Amino acid sequence: MSFLHRFALISLLTVVLSLLNYRGLEIVGKASLLVCVVAMSPFVLMTIIGAPQVVVERWFQMPEEPEDGSSLFDDAFQTSPGPLPLLGIAGIMWRPYLNNLFWNLNSFDGAASFAGETTWATDYSQSEWVDGHLGQVAVDIGGEWLGAWTIFAAGISNLAMYEAELSSDSFKLMGMAERGHLPKLFKTRSKYGTPTNGIILGTLVIIIFGCADFGQLLALLNANYAFALLLEYAAFVKLRFYHKDLQRPYRIPIPDWASVIL
């Protein structure tokens, strides 16, 4: 698929999903509940069927080196630019490993990132665990029906996550605008009660970044998430030092100076 075809497909799919978001939060919520059941069920079945086949000794295996002397990663991955060296120790490329680890653990859906690593009910080597390989594992464990179900579940879960994320972000923009932290144009609601301009902005951002590859998006998301965490920690410290009497649902039982270290 050429770059233009890929970009056009991503843009079209983004606009269609954004229109569904525009129609109302109730549609997004009900669809998300349905998708949750459909998307989780094949992994529950895979765990039940595959549990008797698990070999516990494999949990402690170190990363393997290919027998032909080649690398598990392509040249572009190993030579990708970054502020830190790749630093390969004990068979692990630490910079990309930590980058991916941070990305996989910085949200509520982080557990799904380790579905392949924790299955271990097949005899595949590490080099065979590539994009989409979990579907083949599901076939080996439960049959063609489970493999097809797993692929379908992965696809619709991505669509549902997009809908939920766009809805959440657009409403956050509207809330900040209503509090005076953002321009008033983000306060605009559609006839369905959804934040029109927030959805439009989110859609445009996604379409623009649709031309980036996964590695670039990964680095960008990590940097953005790290910056957001710094702002949250800074707000926490400021509240502890300058708003001591502010009513809180819970107060961390540590001295104020310890909040800086925390």
Side-chain angles (χ1 to χ4, degrees):
M1 181 183 295
S2 68
F3 170 79
L4 289 179
H5 289 162
R6 175 178 176 271
F7 182 74
L9 180 61
I10 292 176
S11 301
L12 177 62
L13 183 61
T14 300
V15 171
V16 171
L17 293 176
S18 297
L19 287 175
L20 290 177
N21 209 296
Y22 172 80
R23 286 297 305 273
L25 191 61
E26 185 176 357
I27 296 177
V28 175
K30 290 182 178 179
S32 297
L33 290 175
L34 177 62
V35 169
C36 177
V37 175
V38 176
M40 292 300 296
S41 51
F43 293 97
V44 174
L45 292 174
M46 195 186 309
T47 301
I48 296 174
I49 298 173
Q53 308 174 48
V54 171
V55 180
V56 177
E57 289 78 8
R58 293 177 177 174
W59 295 352
F60 307 98
Q61 290 181 350
M62 295 297 293
E64 63 185 26
E65 291 291 341
E67 296 180 358
D68 59 1
S70 62
S71 174
L72 292 175
F73 309 106
D74 55 33
D75 292 337
F77 185 81
Q78 293 196 41
T79 59
S80 59
L84 299 175
L86 287 173
L87 194 61
I89 300 177
I92 300 175
M93 307 297 287
W94 285 97
R95 193 188 76 201
Y97 168 72
L98 293 175
N99 202 26
N100 280 274
L101 185 66
F102 180 77
W103 176 69
N104 284 323
L105 295 178
N106 68 10
S107 190
F108 66 91
D109 56 332
S113 305
F114 296 94
E117 288 80 351
T118 56
T119 302
W120 286 115
T122 67
D123 295 321
Y124 290 106
S125 63
Q126 181 183 353
S127 59
E128 293 177 289
W129 280 97
V130 296
D131 295 344
H133 188 67
L134 190 60
Q136 181 59 49
V137 172
V139 171
D140 296 341
I141 294 176
E144 294 287 345
W145 65 273
L146 186 57
W149 195 352
T150 302
I151 296 300
F152 175 73
I156 63 171
S157 64
N158 284 329
L159 299 182
M161 184 177 294
Y162 171 89
E163 293 286 1
E165 189 70 27
L166 180 61
S167 177
S168 172
D169 293 345
S170 59
F171 272 95
K172 288 177 183 177
L173 291 175
M174 184 179 67
M176 294 177 69
E178 290 177 345
R179 288 176 173 268
H181 300 304
L182 288 177
K184 294 182 179 180
L185 62 92
F186 289 109
K187 295 171 59 176
T188 305
R189 289 177 179 261
S190 67
K191 61 181 180 180
Y192 304 104
T194 51
T196 305
N197 292 327
I199 293 175
I200 293 175
L201 177 62
T203 302
L204 290 176
V205 170
I206 293 170
I207 290 177
I208 291 173
F209 284 106
C211 59
D213 60 36
F214 180 76
Q216 293 172 327
L217 291 176
L218 178 62
L220 178 64
L221 288 174
N222 278 348
N224 180 69
Y225 187 76
F227 181 69
L229 283 179
L230 288 176
L231 290 178
E232 292 176 9
Y233 293 148
F236 166 70
V237 172
K238 183 175 181 179
L239 287 172
R240 287 298 296 260
F241 277 88
Y242 298 100
H243 300 277
K244 299 179 182 293
D245 299 327
L246 185 67
Q247 185 177 0
R248 296 169 167 81
Y250 175 76
R251 180 182 177 90
I252 300 178
I254 58 176
D256 291 344
W257 61 265
S259 65
V260 179
I261 301 176
L262 179 64

